[in-house]
Amino acid sequence: MPHTPPVYEPVIDQHDTWLAVNPVQGCPKRCRYCYLEDLGLTGVKPAVLATPEETVEQLLAHRYYHPALVLALYTCTDALATPVTHAHLTALLDLLGASTVRNPVCIITKCAIPDDVVEAIARNRAAGLPILVYLSYSGLGPDIERGIDHTALRDNFPRLHAADIPVIHYWRPALPQNSTPAAIEHVMDLAVRYAACTVAVGTKVKPTAMDQITELWPALADADLDPRAADSVWPRPTWDWLHALPDRYAAHPLFQTNSCALAYVLGRGDRAGVWSTPTCLAANRCPTAQRDLCLRTVPHREPVTATQVEERLAKIGLPGLAFTLDAGTRTLHLGRPVPLRDRHNLAQILALTVRAPRDPQETYWQGRLTGAEPLIIDPRP
């Protein structure tokens, strides 16, 4: 079968939780669930779209950039997968550390983290650049995460912990293949020893990825289901395990919203409209101190004004867009469809819930911030 020609995403792009920085795109690994597959960016040599110097320049000049945003580096590759991406990462970290940028920086990986990268993270953290590492580990095997050395991935946890580098355990995706209690607990028994918290986000299904996901999870082909409209999709055994958490994990913070995991690790209150919702109260296993922080900060945040909305709309290239603002509920309704990336940028910077008519051309998953709910799938008989 011929490979899909690559379709590159913007070097600087807004996702639902963070500002993505993607100067290198394409990954030699072939994880079967990867959202890059339909873009022709899996099983390929990574392409350098911007040098580290160009990346910092583009970041600071971009219409989406704001000092309060979290930056996620290399979400369209794994920066530890090849010598080229590895060298690009260390150079970019040093440039960011020497710059005026002090946004929190996230690195997400499934690959072994060599000593020089650990050292680059440590020296730039010491220089004042907040750097976190997401270790994406969910208990899936090499039949699904093709090309991943899972022993090296597990070894990252104690190595980063020993270097005093904050680790967030990224437990995703949730599939039938890793939904048994034994599979879950094999993963969690490691994570609780070394990670600051766990983020469990289920499976995300892009509008363009139905064939890809149903090959892995045939039950999702049921005509009565619409996994693309869900915030995330969960096997029933995983969902039930999360809601009847074994006692030995009770002290480990476990979040279903990545924004809350970041708020916890960064010592911030919620800005994503999660506080006091059913997800906050019933799904997230949030430490008491963090709940107290949100209680002290979220209800007392300064109201957003129409002028602030107008200024931000103009900044992101939407001057004069009609909107209505409910300052009491911090909800912004836009008068016409706009790309999700614009909506997410408004939401994160102004700490608003942003609603708008759905753009039929949208190829990114909708997410919880648009009002979508989880979809729970019962096992087949």
Side-chain angles (χ1 to χ4, degrees):
M1 180 183 296
H3 199 282
T4 303
V7 177
Y8 297 116
E9 298 199 337
V11 171
I12 309 298
D13 200 10
Q14 181 71 63
H15 290 186
D16 59 354
T17 309
W18 42 40
L19 195 64
V21 181
N22 281 311
V24 182
Q25 300 189 29
C27 183
K29 311 301 182 183
R30 292 179 176 269
C31 297
R32 292 173 59 194
Y33 53 77
C34 183
Y35 83 100
L36 300 176
E37 183 172 296
D38 69 327
L39 300 177
L41 295 177
T42 60
V44 298
K45 180 181 177 180
V48 178
L49 306 183
T51 66
E53 293 80 5
E54 291 167 341
T55 304
V56 175
E57 182 180 349
Q58 290 185 38
L59 172 67
L60 292 174
H62 202 276
R63 68 188 187 278
Y64 286 155
Y65 178 73
H66 189 279
L69 294 175
V70 175
L71 309 180
L73 307 186
Y74 306 95
T75 67
C76 290
T77 187
D78 190 309
L80 283 307
T82 72
V84 169
T85 54
H86 170 175
H88 199 288
L89 168 64
T90 55
L92 181 57
L93 289 178
D94 285 339
L95 283 171
L96 290 171
S99 76
T100 59
V101 172
R102 285 300 176 262
N103 302 67
V105 171
C106 299
I107 303 164
I108 307 163
T109 189
K110 293 185 183 71
C111 297
I113 303 178
D115 289 343
D116 68 315
V117 174
V118 174
E119 292 163 4
I121 294 171
R123 69 174 169 266
N124 285 294
R125 280 179 52 80
L129 184 68
I131 305 174
L132 319 172
V133 178
Y134 278 70
L135 293 178
S136 183
Y137 176 48
S138 62
L140 293 167
D143 57 325
I144 293 177
E145 293 185 333
R146 296 175 294 194
I148 301 300
D149 180 341
H150 289 92
T151 299
L153 170 54
R154 288 175 62 88
D155 288 345
N156 287 332
F157 282 88
R159 291 184 63 250
L160 292 174
H161 186 266
D164 200 28
I165 294 170
V167 171
I168 293 178
H169 169 222
Y170 220 1
W171 177 27
R172 54 82 193 254
L175 297 169
Q177 294 89 336
N178 64 344
S179 66
T180 65
I184 293 169
E185 291 171 24
H186 180 69
V187 169
M188 292 300 298
D189 285 344
L190 177 69
V192 297
R193 295 174 61 193
Y194 301 112
C197 62
T198 290
V199 181
V201 294
T203 295
K204 306 284 188 178
V205 183
K206 289 200 303 185
T208 54
M210 274 300 293
D211 290 344
Q212 177 186 353
I213 195 62
T214 54
E215 182 182 347
L216 271 173
W217 195 346
L220 298 188
D222 188 323
D224 293 331
L225 299 176
D226 187 5
R228 292 166 293 191
D231 167 62
S232 54
V233 187
W234 298 85
R236 174 67 66 183
T238 305
W239 187 258
D240 289 347
W241 187 93
L242 282 168
H243 289 80
L245 195 70
D247 289 345
R248 70 178 183 273
Y249 307 116
H252 181 68
L254 200 157
F255 301 95
Q256 291 184 33
T257 44
N258 189 30
S259 62
C260 293
L262 282 167
Y264 167 64
V265 174
L266 295 171
R268 300 175 170 182
D270 170 52
R271 291 179 58 85
V274 178
W275 179 72
S276 202
T277 64
T279 298
C280 167
L281 300 174
N284 286 340
R285 303 283 182 153
C286 190
T288 299
Q290 182 65 20
R291 292 193 182 277
D292 289 344
L293 175 61
C294 287
L295 181 63
R296 294 194 308 271
T297 57
V298 177
H300 307 294
R301 191 168 285 136
E302 286 294 320
V304 175
T305 67
T307 298
Q308 289 174 302
V309 173
E310 290 167 353
E311 290 174 349
R312 193 67 209 169
L313 285 169
K315 174 71 174 177
I316 65 175
L318 297 171
L321 177 64
F323 67 87
T324 58
L325 173 65
D326 185 331
T329 63
R330 301 187 74 91
T331 302
L332 176 67
H333 293 269
L334 303 179
R336 63 172 173 81
V338 299
L340 273 175
R341 50 176 53 94
D342 290 340
R343 294 160 64 179
H344 291 321
N345 189 259
L346 288 165
Q348 288 179 41
I349 290 173
L350 299 177
L352 293 170
T353 297
V354 180
R355 305 294 190 208
R358 188 180 185 280
D359 184 346
Q361 303 303 312
E362 185 63 62
T363 60
Y364 199 63
W365 49 73
Q366 293 289 293
R368 194 182 303 267
L369 292 184
T370 65
E373 296 292 334
L375 174 63
I376 317 303
I377 305 298
D378 291 316
R380 285 182 166 179

